Amino acid sequence: MSRTMPYSLEAEQSVLGSVFLSPAVMVSLMDKLNEDDFYDQRNQRIFYALKNLFLREEKMDYTTVSTELAQLGAMRDVGVSYLSEITDLVPTTTNLDAYVDIVKEYSLKRAMIKTASQIVEDGFNDKIRATEYIDDTEEKIFELIRRRKASEFVRINEVVNEVKEKAESRKNKGSLTGLSTGFGIMDQITSGLQPEELIILAARPSMGKSAFAMNLALNAAKHNKDQKAAVAVFSLEMSNEQLVGRMMASESRVENRKIKTGELTPKEWQFVDSAAESLGRLNVFFDDSSAISVQDIRSKCRKLKQESKLDFVVIDYLQLIKGDESKGGGVNRQEEVAKISRQLKQMARELKIPVMALSQLSRGVEKRDDKRPVLADLRESGSIEQDADIVLFLYRDEYYSHGKEDNGETELSFAKNRQGSVGNVLLFKFEKEYSRFLPITRREEDMGRD
């Protein structure tokens, strides 16, 4: 049995009638509707004609609209009597917003019906793989969600009130407005890891960036929401067992090497058992898929978010994320990485969570006398710097001093901080055997403050 698509002829006619009654309302309608939002094809053509006249700054009445429709070859489809009916309609413009909402509501429902029908049709296509089918389905649905939430201009007083309300809600909570990192001095600089932020943690290999990221992941789970904060860790380089082994070493203060071999004293076993029990209570989720795309990451994170199990995401590391294979070979890797960083920023905004992605630095660092990293060293894409809200660099001077004992002193520098100061350099002691970073002190350096 055939069914008619949902729509309201009365609402569509009232919107068009309001324009003939008061042409000035076309200014707001242009931002809220387009001809595709109308279901009746006659109404689509009339709105298109009105839009053309508006853009040319011409008068909008029966004569001008009928002339425009005739020039478009659409007057016969609309009909003289129907255009006269719309022109003579006298709706109250006071209710125009209500008419517009009804038209948009039915337009969105029709779009959902068409999308769902296409999803069903694609499901029967043997040429589409299941993973591609699921990703494409999610993308179609979220595109409709973005359309529903399409923003319009907001007057300053509304934003002012929102800022004041948030300030009042935080006045008794101190300066921490995001997730605590577990490092007090880092929290002071960032006010915590903020929702919608993309944080890049970059270093040359063997500087300890994976260990530092795991420290942050563990601290975020332990120090927020009464140890109920949920953290997702995507490790493209190390296995889940390797990561958790490091976490257990950090938590128990038992050397990672001993945990691997099982050569522990009875006392050390007690520490490991206690750490295992403590870690087991935390909401930390791991995915060690070695070949994973941003679409895969986003899909898994959406699922966790829908289950209210996502507050922070850590990805180790950005350059290992799989690119878009649908474009075939010959794709510029720099462009791929640029696209990946933009997609990670979009994911942070969509899910309203902080996302930390680790990144390699180019070998150009090794050629300089001062090997401290700078923004230009971000490997493969300048857009990483552009998309990131915070860029952090890890640096150990002893790493380059061959023959000199490495005391673990590590610099964490803020090369970019969109919401705060840059140039801050925090000192940590890296206890490599425990995969653990301990804060030492803070140092200010002139790195071009914004």
Side-chain angles (χ1 to χ4, degrees):
M1 185 178 69
S2 61
R3 288 179 287 186
T4 304
M5 282 286 198
Y7 79 107
S8 170
L9 181 61
E10 293 79 8
E12 291 185 5
Q13 290 176 334
S14 296
V15 169
L16 298 175
S18 296
V19 179
F20 286 106
L21 184 64
S22 179
V25 302
M26 196 64 190
V27 176
S28 62
L29 289 181
M30 288 280 290
D31 293 329
K32 296 175 181 178
L33 296 172
N34 60 57
E35 53 269 22
D36 293 334
D37 289 317
F38 295 85
Y39 178 71
D40 190 296
Q41 290 188 359
R42 297 171 298 178
N43 296 334
Q44 290 180 5
R45 289 172 169 81
I46 294 171
F47 188 79
Y48 184 70
L50 288 168
K51 189 166 67 172
N52 288 349
L53 292 168
F54 173 79
L55 292 173
R56 297 201 301 263
E57 299 182 359
E58 295 179 12
K59 190 176 180 181
M60 289 177 281
D61 57 20
Y62 175 86
T63 302
T64 56
V65 172
S66 62
T67 302
E68 181 69 19
L69 287 169
Q71 291 176 348
L72 293 169
M75 189 60 198
R76 180 176 297 178
D77 295 331
V78 172
V80 173
S81 60
Y82 186 74
L83 181 59
S84 297
E85 181 184 344
I86 297 297
T87 310
D88 295 336
L89 196 66
V90 189
T92 170
T93 55
T94 306
N95 297 328
L96 179 58
D97 286 341
Y99 305 146
V100 169
D101 287 343
I102 293 171
V103 172
K104 288 173 66 177
E105 180 79 12
Y106 280 118
S107 175
L108 191 59
K109 284 187 74 175
R110 294 194 302 274
M112 186 69 221
I113 291 169
K114 290 178 182 177
T115 298
S117 299
Q118 185 62 54
I119 290 169
V120 171
E121 189 67 26
D122 289 344
F124 289 98
N125 189 338
D126 292 335
K127 295 181 181 179
I128 301 177
R129 293 185 301 171
T131 53
E132 293 175 357
Y133 178 58
I134 293 169
D135 287 342
D136 189 53
T137 297
E138 284 188 336
E139 193 60 40
K140 283 184 170 73
I141 298 299
F142 274 87
E143 181 60 37
L144 288 175
I145 292 173
R146 283 193 290 269
R147 174 178 161 182
R148 182 188 67 185
K149 295 180 178 178
S151 60
E152 299 175 7
F153 280 117
V154 179
R155 197 168 183 272
I156 189 171
N157 67 314
E158 296 178 42
V159 183
V160 166
N161 290 334
E162 287 182 14
V163 173
K164 281 180 61 181
E165 287 173 7
K166 287 184 178 179
E168 288 171 359
S169 67
R170 294 167 177 166
K171 63 183 178 183
N172 297 320
K173 297 181 181 179
S175 61
L176 194 66
T177 58
L179 290 177
S180 172
T181 64
F183 300 125
I185 194 67
M186 192 171 175
D187 286 344
Q188 286 182 31
I189 296 170
T190 61
S191 297
L193 303 177
Q194 303 297 319
E196 304 187 23
E197 281 190 340
L198 174 61
I199 303 136
I200 298 294
L201 174 64
R204 288 294 292 152
S206 301
M207 285 288 177
K209 62 180 179 296
S210 294
F212 190 81
M214 291 311 103
N215 279 208
L216 287 179
L218 199 56
N219 288 349
K222 288 170 63 176
H223 295 282
N224 296 281
K225 297 186 176 181
D226 297 323
Q227 296 196 348
K228 298 296 182 184
V231 180
V233 177
F234 293 88
S235 176
L236 287 75
E237 190 172 36
M238 288 187 286
S239 69
N240 295 339
E241 290 78 7
Q242 288 174 306
L243 291 178
V244 174
R246 289 187 173 195
M247 286 183 169
M248 289 185 68
S250 175
E251 188 75 4
S252 65
R253 301 299 299 276
V254 175
E255 289 183 32
N256 194 15
R257 176 186 59 82
K258 290 186 176 182
I259 294 176
K260 283 181 182 177
T261 61
E263 298 174 356
L264 306 175
T265 66
K267 190 69 173 176
E268 287 172 333
W269 272 116
Q270 288 181 11
F271 292 149
V272 169
D273 288 340
S274 177
E277 184 179 348
S278 174
L279 291 174
R281 291 193 293 265
L282 300 176
N283 290 320
V284 182
F285 304 91
F286 295 92
D287 186 304
D288 61 358
S289 306
S290 58
I292 193 169
S293 65
V294 175
Q295 288 77 15
D296 298 327
I297 293 171
R298 188 168 56 193
S299 177
K300 293 178 180 184
C301 286
R302 282 171 180 161
K303 186 174 185 297
L304 288 175
K305 186 68 173 180
Q306 288 165 0
E307 297 170 356
S308 299
K309 294 179 180 177
L310 191 64
D311 296 289
F312 181 38
V313 174
V314 177
I315 302 167
D316 186 9
Y317 58 91
L318 190 150
Q319 281 82 7
L320 289 180
I321 295 175
K322 188 171 64 174
D324 187 356
E325 295 179 343
S326 64
K327 294 184 177 180
V331 178
N332 185 298
R333 181 57 183 167
Q334 184 171 333
E335 293 177 1
E336 267 191 346
V337 172
K339 183 178 179 182
I340 288 168
S341 70
R342 282 194 300 272
Q343 289 174 327
L344 291 178
K345 174 59 181 177
Q346 289 167 1
M347 185 180 83
R349 293 194 64 182
E350 176 190 316
L351 301 179
K352 299 190 184 305
I353 53 165
V355 173
M356 171 174 280
L358 279 59
S359 178
Q360 292 279 25
L361 293 175
S362 69
R363 291 190 179 90
V365 175
E366 315 288 340
K367 300 175 183 178
R368 299 196 302 263
D369 292 335
D370 185 355
K371 294 177 172 54
R372 287 179 174 82
V374 295
L375 288 171
D377 295 321
L378 283 171
R379 186 175 171 185
E380 290 185 309
S381 177
S383 83
I384 297 177
E385 173 192 346
Q386 178 182 328
D387 296 324
D389 297 279
I390 295 176
V391 177
L392 303 171
F393 290 134
L394 277 180
Y395 171 78
R396 293 208 322 274
D397 191 55
E398 283 80 5
Y399 176 81
Y400 294 104
S401 304
H402 302 293
K404 184 178 179 181
E405 183 180 355
D406 187 350
N407 64 8
E409 184 172 297
T410 305
E411 296 179 3
L412 177 73
S413 59
F414 283 74
K416 180 180 180 180
N417 185 8
R418 188 165 280 158
Q419 301 298 328
S421 60
V422 296
N424 300 285
V425 179
L426 311 185
L427 295 183
F428 289 86
K429 181 175 177 58
F430 179 32
E431 297 180 337
K432 194 170 184 179
E433 65 274 25
Y434 305 127
S435 298
R436 181 184 178 98
F437 281 84
L438 300 174
I440 301 174
T441 185
R442 174 184 176 183
R443 186 167 75 238
E444 301 287 347
E445 300 211 340
D446 182 13
M447 292 174 60
R449 302 173 188 281
D450 287 339

